[in-house]
Amino acid sequence: MIQGIQTELRPISMDDFKRTYEWRNDEEIARLEAADWLYRHSHVPLARIEKAYEEILKLDAREMGEFAIYTKEETPVHIGMIGYRDVHLVSRKCAVGIGIGDKRYWGNGYGTDAMKALLHYLFQTMNMHRVQLDTFSGNERAVQSYKKCGFVEEGRRREDVYCDGMYYDTVMMGVLRKDFVALDYTPQKAITTV
């Protein structure tokens, strides 16, 4: 498991994956995740979600990792998903994505902490040099959260995402190891296992 300050990232179980069924079929979440994996795979039957889980289990952790985000409350709550993909071993880079599906935990720093915990793991354990992501300009809360994690805007694809009758830019962001180290993020507990 990967430990954050407010969150713990656990390897996903089938129960975790099934729990995302509700989130993937929620219109508000789908809109906010318009440029993310959660949205691209929304509005799907439970059987398809189960099949996707089985496919993830076959992947090599050096290529992709998917985690369930749990709170560190006395009784931990599964609140979202986070992961990395598109690992390039020569350039030491990858892409990340996150979705907080439990709306009760929006706006309280859980997503930011989960992303910092994952970045800590990617830079310290997997020896990544660069981590990148795409989001859409209509999700300003996500953009601000990513900036708190050290990401900087590196470019935009103008009017690239169509959502709710409007076009939005895709915001391309990246963080280098040195940028993240400068944040001086240290999880309360050391990373134990993955």
Side-chain angles (χ1 to χ4, degrees):
M1 288 183 273
I2 299 171
Q3 300 292 333
I5 295 170
Q6 292 177 270
T7 59
E8 179 176 87
L9 313 184
R10 301 177 182 181
I12 56 172
S13 69
M14 178 62 91
D15 287 341
D16 294 330
F17 222 66
K18 283 182 178 178
R19 206 170 291 114
T20 68
Y21 174 77
E22 177 184 320
W23 303 337
R24 291 180 182 165
N25 289 288
D26 181 292
E27 289 297 325
E28 185 179 13
I29 294 170
R31 185 194 172 283
L32 289 174
E33 301 292 338
D36 203 333
W37 187 92
L38 190 65
Y39 180 78
R40 292 193 306 267
H41 294 82
S42 66
H43 310 294
V44 296
L46 186 57
R48 187 167 166 200
I49 289 173
E50 291 171 346
K51 184 176 181 184
Y53 173 75
E54 291 170 8
E55 293 301 314
I56 286 174
L57 290 179
K58 296 176 186 175
L59 296 173
D60 187 324
R62 293 172 292 184
E63 298 171 5
M64 178 180 167
E66 190 81 27
F67 303 92
I69 303 169
Y70 276 81
T71 64
K72 285 189 158 182
E73 298 169 330
E74 187 173 324
T75 302
V77 177
H78 176 215
I79 62 170
M81 303 290 273
I82 191 168
Y84 63 90
R85 64 189 180 284
D86 303 328
V87 174
H88 192 283
L89 294 175
V90 175
S91 297
R92 310 303 306 168
K93 67 179 181 178
C94 68
V96 294
I98 184 173
I100 301 295
D102 190 326
K103 296 178 195 178
R104 298 172 300 169
Y105 291 87
W106 287 3
N108 293 303
Y110 289 94
T112 300
D113 181 65
M115 182 60 76
K116 285 180 178 180
L118 181 63
L119 290 173
H120 185 268
Y121 170 76
L122 292 170
F123 289 129
Q124 299 301 316
T125 303
M126 290 191 64
N127 194 29
M128 291 289 118
H129 174 71
R130 171 187 168 75
V131 176
Q132 58 199 38
L133 61 81
D134 289 353
T135 189
F136 90 119
S137 59
N139 193 348
E140 187 58 34
R141 189 172 61 231
V143 172
Q144 293 307 311
S145 174
Y146 298 141
K147 287 179 180 179
K148 291 176 187 174
C149 296
F151 285 92
V152 296
E153 184 176 323
E154 298 178 329
R156 286 181 178 244
R157 291 190 296 272
R158 296 178 303 140
E159 297 184 8
D160 186 48
V161 175
Y162 183 76
C163 183
D164 287 343
M166 294 180 60
Y167 283 96
Y168 294 90
D169 296 348
T170 292
V171 182
M172 297 171 286
M173 303 182 82
V175 59
L176 302 177
R177 178 198 307 260
K178 64 183 177 183
D179 301 328
F180 183 72
V181 168
L183 295 177
D184 197 30
Y185 173 81
T186 306
Q188 287 181 334
K189 293 183 178 179
I191 295 168
T192 53
T193 60
V194 174

